[in-house]
Amino acid sequence: MRTYHCFWLLFWAGQPHQSFLTPLFKRTSGFPEKEKVLILSGNSRQDLHRSKRSWMWNQFFLLEEYTGTDYQYVGKLHSDQDKGDGSLKYILSGDGAGDLFIINENTGDIQATKRLDREEKPVYILRAQAINRRTGRPVEPESEFIIKIHDINDNEPMFTKDVYNASIPEMSDVGTFVVQVSATDADDPTYGNSAKVVYSILQGQPYFSVESETGIIKTALLNMDRENREQYQVVIQAKDMGGQMGGLSGTTTVNITLTDVNDNPPRFPQSTYQFRAPESMPPDSPVGRIKANDADVDENAEIEYSITEGDGYDMFGITTDKDTQEGIITVKKALDFENKNLYILKVEATNTHVDPRFLYLGPFKDSATVRIQVEDVDEPPVFSRPAYIMEVKEDVPINSVIGTVTAQDPDAAKNPVKYSVDRHTDMDRVFNINSGNGSIFTSKPLDRETLLWHNITVIAAEINNPKQSSRVPVFIKVLDVNDNAPEFAMFYETFVCENAKAEQLIQTLSAVDRDDSYSGHQFSFSLAPEAASSSNFTLQDNRDNTAGIFTRKIRYNRHEMSTYFLPVVISDNDYPIQSSTETVTIRVCACDHRGKMLSCNAEALIHPTGLSTGALVAILLCIIILLVTVVLFAALRRQRKKEPLIISKEDIRDNIVSYNDEGGGEEDTQAFDIGTLRNPEAIDDNKLRRDIVPETLFMPRRTATARDNTDVRDFINQRLKENDTDPTAPPYDSLATYAYEGNGSVAESLSSLESVTTDGDQDYDYLSDWGPRFKKLADMYSAMDSDRDS
């Protein structure tokens, strides 16, 4: 028979409040006096048949939150193989082994080294084993046991929220649900009453109550009015141990708000209101505001105002200002102080959202009396009509009266009124008005075809106070008279084929009339008397406001007559009859056998192969462009071959022009060409003066060519001498030319060439006879004569 070695755990129960044992299978009555043994082996079935064991244990209880100074004793491991000689060694493993739980390897005593908290970890599972110290082999199989932490009441109840917010309608019944609070306790709910929570109210009575088991808060007072108190703060306590003495507790705050219901009717603070309104107040203008007070808020305080009765029921209206809940009294119709100056109204204010539950409190409306005093003001004149419509024929003579407007002062003074036309509405001044009686008359001719309606504005102002004025629109319709002759609907220009047959239709005519005909226009067409007998065409009136032009002969020749002008007389049937003569242009054209026009130009037959006008213009432009190109090319070549007069780059090529004399101006540039002095061979002797008109042309006289190194002074002296002795040379002593004075001068010529050789023979007294223009010159020469005589 196989033998099993057993492993005993011995637990001493000297202090039952520190640790507890729980039997696994069978428990006898009472605790053993000496020891309790846990038999752990590899085969539990064999353990059940052990004969010398009173209890069999596999778990222990250990109190949490141990406050002693020594380690807390848990139990003792013991193996039946332990002979007490120290050959065995006890080993502990599992949850917290070596740290939280330690074992004496020689004796097997287990101790807890730290304070345990059931709320952190309620159960620890550990494994125990005994091994031989010499061989290191286990002498017993490893056994598992459980240490459960026994709960104590060390946690107070905690609410799920620090602050609760709730609201209920005011005037609620007793027992109305408000809110439910909830608290939890971290202690073990299965052991004792440590986690059993009971609710109670610490603050908030007698308005509210709380159910101790559920935490439901309810109303406890009837008819709580929001208008008296709106906010309530309730403090709720949650206590464990079933609320018994010594239990732990926690509190929370509940803020309860009473929401509004419509339990208050509107009330006017006064029974009578008085307002003043000037009679000039326009419609829809506000007269005043009234307000009924309502203790409720939001939609429960919304008020609708209405006028229920009074003599001003049709004259005034009232609306509600949604923002301020005020009643705005407005004018519906124009007021008249002279007719009525006092109105009395009854205004009613009613809640728009009435709660039927509170109808027993009375009607949710109130009324007040409103007195409105109309004040007299100086009013502008009032026209007898809001607008005037007048008709006038377009042929009426100027200054004809077409109608009358009437306005009067509505005030008791009845001030006189004067009339005028607003010229902004009658810019052309077609109409005028009598300022005294308001009669409107024409001041210019009218034309219905130009403008059918004239819309003007008439102003009526008090004579004593012109600022008081009124305006009225006047619509004037111009009636039609038959003053326009009918005319062609369009310009008619048609053609006739050379091979046309007689009585062939070539054109249909129609006419229009600018006049208006009530019965419809009826036009008659005929040829003018001068063309009726000699015309090559006939005209047939179709009696439907159209006419047709027909050919009279068989053939037409465009070389004989290329264009015909046919005068047509058009008449209407209105009174007075109006007629006009219109002209139809008929061109003779060449056509094919189907009557389709080919050509209407007579030259086309004479020059059938000639070029078109466009082609001729293009050819002419090409020739002109070619000629211009040749001329420009020749001019450029000539300018390139001309020998320069100044070779050096430092020579100044600009001509010296003097502007302080009466010379020939900028055109005379040959006299000061410095290049000529440096290169005398480049002188063009055949060049004539451009600033004079020579009377006789002489052949130029050749002069000796100067040497290349001739000095400029010698050259000028030589030229001066030659020109002094040359009778054909004009005076080149300055830019001005004095030999030619122009035409029409009363002084004739002043040139020194026509004077005598000596100055003493000259008599300048005649200069004084030439007028004020020569006065200065006469004074100069008379002064010279006086100096010479002296």
Side-chain angles (χ1 to χ4, degrees):
M1 182 177 179
R2 184 176 179 181
T3 303
Y4 294 90
H5 299 284
C6 296
F7 183 46
W8 296 357
L9 175 64
L10 214 60
F11 182 81
W12 301 96
Q15 295 178 347
H17 64 278
Q18 293 182 352
S19 61
F20 299 88
L21 301 176
T22 300
L24 180 63
F25 300 106
K26 180 180 179 182
R27 183 173 182 178
T28 59
S29 60
F31 287 91
E33 297 180 356
K34 292 184 179 180
E35 62 180 6
K36 303 175 182 65
V37 179
L38 174 62
I39 302 174
L40 302 172
S41 66
N43 193 336
S44 61
R45 298 174 63 90
Q46 296 296 329
D47 295 338
L48 297 176
H49 298 283
R50 293 181 67 89
S51 58
K52 294 183 179 182
R53 302 292 182 265
S54 299
W55 296 281
M56 297 182 67
W57 310 86
N58 72 340
Q59 63 181 356
F60 302 103
F61 288 94
L62 191 64
L63 286 176
E64 65 171 335
E65 303 295 341
Y66 173 69
T67 59
T69 58
D70 298 332
Y71 289 163
Q72 189 177 6
Y73 186 79
V74 178
K76 183 180 182 65
L77 291 177
H78 183 75
S79 175
D80 56 1
Q81 299 294 325
D82 189 359
K83 304 302 182 180
D85 55 1
S87 61
L88 296 182
K89 178 182 179 180
Y90 295 96
I91 298 175
L92 186 65
S93 63
D95 295 339
D99 179 22
L100 187 59
F101 299 101
I102 59 175
I103 187 170
N104 190 320
E105 60 183 13
N106 296 321
T107 62
D109 293 329
I110 302 173
Q111 291 178 317
T113 62
K114 297 179 181 180
R115 178 187 297 183
L116 302 178
D117 189 356
R118 188 202 66 84
E119 285 72 34
E120 293 182 0
K121 188 173 180 65
V123 177
Y124 295 88
I125 301 175
L126 294 97
R127 292 177 298 278
Q129 193 174 31
I131 62 175
N132 191 299
R133 284 183 181 273
R134 277 188 309 106
T135 63
R137 295 180 178 179
V139 296
E140 295 285 351
E142 187 178 53
S143 298
E144 184 178 89
F145 63 95
I146 298 173
I147 298 177
K148 289 187 176 181
I149 308 303
H150 193 79
D151 183 47
I152 64 174
N153 189 19
D154 60 341
N155 291 281
E156 70 275 4
M158 299 293 293
F159 283 94
T160 56
K161 296 181 181 179
D162 294 335
V163 177
Y164 289 82
N165 294 304
S167 62
I168 58 169
E170 63 173 332
M171 310 298 289
S172 297
D173 296 333
V174 175
T176 302
F177 174 84
V178 179
V179 69
Q180 183 177 10
V181 297
S182 177
T184 58
D185 197 316
D187 293 327
D188 188 1
T190 62
Y191 180 79
N193 294 328
S194 298
K196 185 178 181 181
V197 179
V198 174
Y199 300 95
S200 61
I201 184 168
L202 300 182
Q203 176 182 324
Q205 294 176 335
Y207 307 104
F208 300 96
S209 63
V210 62
E211 293 184 356
S212 61
E213 300 292 336
T214 61
I216 296 176
I217 301 176
K218 299 180 180 180
T219 58
L221 189 64
L222 185 64
N223 294 334
M224 287 189 292
D225 194 357
R226 184 199 66 85
E227 287 73 30
N228 293 331
R229 182 177 178 182
E230 184 177 4
Q231 298 287 339
Y232 293 87
Q233 191 175 73
V234 178
V235 178
I236 301 297
Q237 174 184 267
K239 189 174 184 180
D240 58 12
M241 298 298 293
Q244 297 178 4
M245 185 72 67
L248 303 179
S249 63
T251 60
T252 186
T253 301
V254 182
N255 295 322
I256 302 175
T257 303
L258 297 184
T259 59
D260 186 57
V261 297
N262 192 7
D263 59 340
N264 293 279
R267 290 289 180 263
F268 283 106
Q270 57 192 70
S271 60
T272 304
Y273 294 85
Q274 292 188 359
F275 298 100
R276 293 181 178 272
E279 62 175 338
S280 60
M281 180 175 291
D284 297 328
S285 298
V287 176
R289 290 172 175 254
I290 60 175
K291 184 178 181 180
N293 298 325
D294 194 326
D296 298 321
V297 294
D298 299 332
E299 68 175 11
N300 296 319
E302 292 182 0
I303 301 174
E304 186 71 25
Y305 295 91
S306 61
I307 299 176
T308 57
E309 58 183 68
D311 53 2
Y313 183 82
D314 296 332
M315 299 296 296
F316 299 92
I318 188 169
T319 58
T320 302
D321 188 337
K322 299 300 182 181
D323 296 331
T324 62
Q325 295 300 317
E326 292 178 316
I328 305 174
I329 301 175
T330 58
V331 178
K332 294 171 61 176
K333 297 180 180 180
L335 303 176
D336 190 356
F337 174 82
E338 288 72 25
N339 292 333
K340 189 175 180 61
N341 57 15
L342 178 62
Y343 294 90
I344 299 177
L345 310 174
K346 184 178 181 181
V347 178
E348 187 175 82
T350 307
N351 277 140
T352 56
H353 301 279
V354 178
D355 194 337
R357 296 177 300 171
F358 305 103
L359 290 177
Y360 68 91
L361 298 176
F364 283 78
K365 59 183 178 180
D366 194 15
S367 60
T369 302
V370 178
R371 298 170 59 89
I372 301 176
Q373 182 72 43
V374 180
E375 297 179 343
D376 187 24
V377 296
D378 189 6
E379 299 177 274
V382 178
F383 285 93
S384 59
R385 301 179 188 175
Y388 291 85
I389 300 177
M390 301 178 183
E391 294 181 350
V392 58
K393 290 187 176 182
E394 61 178 329
D395 61 345
V396 297
I398 297 176
N399 296 327
S400 297
V401 177
I402 61 176
T404 302
V405 297
T406 304
Q408 61 180 359
D409 184 11
D411 297 325
K414 300 299 181 182
N415 295 320
V417 177
K418 64 177 180 179
Y419 303 91
S420 61
V421 176
D422 186 356
R423 291 307 174 187
H424 293 90
T425 61
D426 186 24
M427 301 293 292
D428 297 332
R429 296 181 177 270
V430 179
F431 302 95
N432 211 334
I433 190 171
N434 189 308
S435 62
N437 56 20
S439 59
I440 301 175
F441 56 90
T442 60
S443 57
K444 288 185 179 180
L446 302 177
D447 187 6
R448 189 201 68 87
E449 289 71 32
T450 302
L451 188 60
L452 176 62
W453 284 94
H454 293 268
N455 302 327
I456 65 174
T457 299
V458 175
I459 303 173
E462 295 181 7
I463 296 179
N464 298 333
N465 187 8
K467 293 183 179 180
Q468 294 294 335
S469 61
S470 301
R471 296 169 177 264
V472 67
V474 179
F475 307 102
I476 302 174
K477 182 179 181 180
V478 181
L479 302 178
D480 184 47
V481 296
N482 192 26
D483 59 345
N484 291 279
E487 56 189 14
F488 280 152
M490 57 181 292
F491 175 74
Y492 289 102
E493 182 177 3
T494 185
F495 71 94
V496 62
C497 295
E498 288 184 311
N499 56 357
K501 298 179 181 180
E503 301 299 327
Q504 180 179 343
L505 178 65
I506 62 174
Q507 182 65 48
T508 299
L509 308 177
S510 63
V512 294
D513 195 336
R514 297 174 60 191
D515 292 325
D516 189 13
S517 177
Y518 298 100
S519 60
H521 291 291
Q522 293 183 5
F523 303 129
S524 59
F525 299 85
S526 62
L527 292 177
E530 64 272 14
S533 58
S534 61
S535 176
N536 293 307
F537 303 92
T538 60
L539 182 69
Q540 179 179 341
D541 192 348
N542 298 328
R543 303 299 179 182
D544 59 352
N545 293 338
T546 62
I549 299 177
F550 294 86
T551 57
R552 174 175 288 183
K553 60 182 183 178
I554 297 177
R555 296 184 64 84
Y556 295 86
N557 191 339
R558 55 179 167 163
H559 300 291
E560 295 178 357
M561 179 66 71
S562 62
T563 304
Y564 293 93
F565 298 99
L566 187 64
V568 178
V569 178
I570 310 173
S571 303
D572 58 18
N573 64 340
D574 292 332
Y575 180 82
I577 297 176
Q578 300 287 341
S579 63
S580 65
T581 301
E582 304 286 336
T583 301
V584 180
T585 302
I586 305 174
R587 301 177 63 188
V588 181
C589 302
C591 305
D592 57 10
H593 65 282
R594 292 176 296 180
K596 184 177 181 181
M597 181 181 65
L598 298 178
S599 176
C600 296
N601 190 1
E603 287 74 15
L605 296 177
I606 301 175
H607 306 287
T609 60
L611 295 176
S612 63
T613 304
L616 293 176
V617 171
I619 293 173
L620 183 59
L621 288 176
C622 290
I623 294 173
I624 293 174
I625 293 173
L626 183 61
L627 291 176
V628 171
T629 304
V630 172
V631 171
L632 290 177
F633 181 74
L636 291 175
R637 285 178 59 86
R638 181 178 180 184
Q639 184 177 2
R640 190 181 300 113
K641 291 181 179 181
K642 185 176 180 181
E643 182 180 358
L645 297 178
I646 302 175
I647 305 302
S648 175
K649 295 182 179 180
E650 297 179 355
D651 292 337
I652 300 175
R653 292 179 176 270
D654 293 338
N655 294 333
I656 302 173
V657 181
S658 178
Y659 294 96
N660 59 351
D661 55 25
E662 298 181 5
E666 296 180 358
E667 293 183 356
D668 188 7
T669 60
Q670 299 178 11
F672 294 96
D673 193 350
I674 196 66
T676 304
L677 300 179
R678 294 186 177 275
N679 190 6
E681 295 180 357
I683 300 176
D684 189 2
D685 294 333
N686 295 329
K687 187 177 294 185
L688 300 178
R689 289 285 297 272
R690 293 181 296 175
D691 56 345
I692 63 173
V693 180
E695 297 178 359
T696 305
L697 295 178
F698 296 91
M699 292 301 294
R701 186 179 59 177
R702 302 294 298 177
T703 59
T705 303
R707 298 185 306 273
D708 294 337
N709 56 354
T710 303
D711 187 76
V712 175
R713 179 182 297 175
D714 296 339
F715 176 77
I716 293 176
N717 292 332
Q718 181 183 353
R719 289 297 185 184
L720 180 59
K721 183 177 179 181
E722 291 175 359
N723 283 276
D724 287 342
T725 58
D726 187 2
T728 63
Y732 276 86
D733 52 351
S734 68
L735 287 176
T737 302
Y738 298 101
Y740 181 73
E741 193 64 28
N743 297 326
S745 176
V746 296
E748 297 180 357
S749 177
L750 296 178
S751 175
S752 61
L753 298 179
E754 297 181 2
S755 304
V756 294
T757 57
T758 62
D759 295 334
D761 298 335
Q762 293 290 333
D763 184 8
Y764 300 102
D765 294 338
Y766 61 88
L767 294 176
S768 302
D769 300 333
W770 289 355
R773 295 183 179 180
F774 297 92
K775 183 177 184 302
K776 184 66 175 178
L777 187 61
D779 295 340
M780 292 173 59
Y781 277 94
S782 61
M784 292 174 60
D785 292 342
S786 61
D787 293 340
R788 189 182 301 111
D789 294 340
S790 61

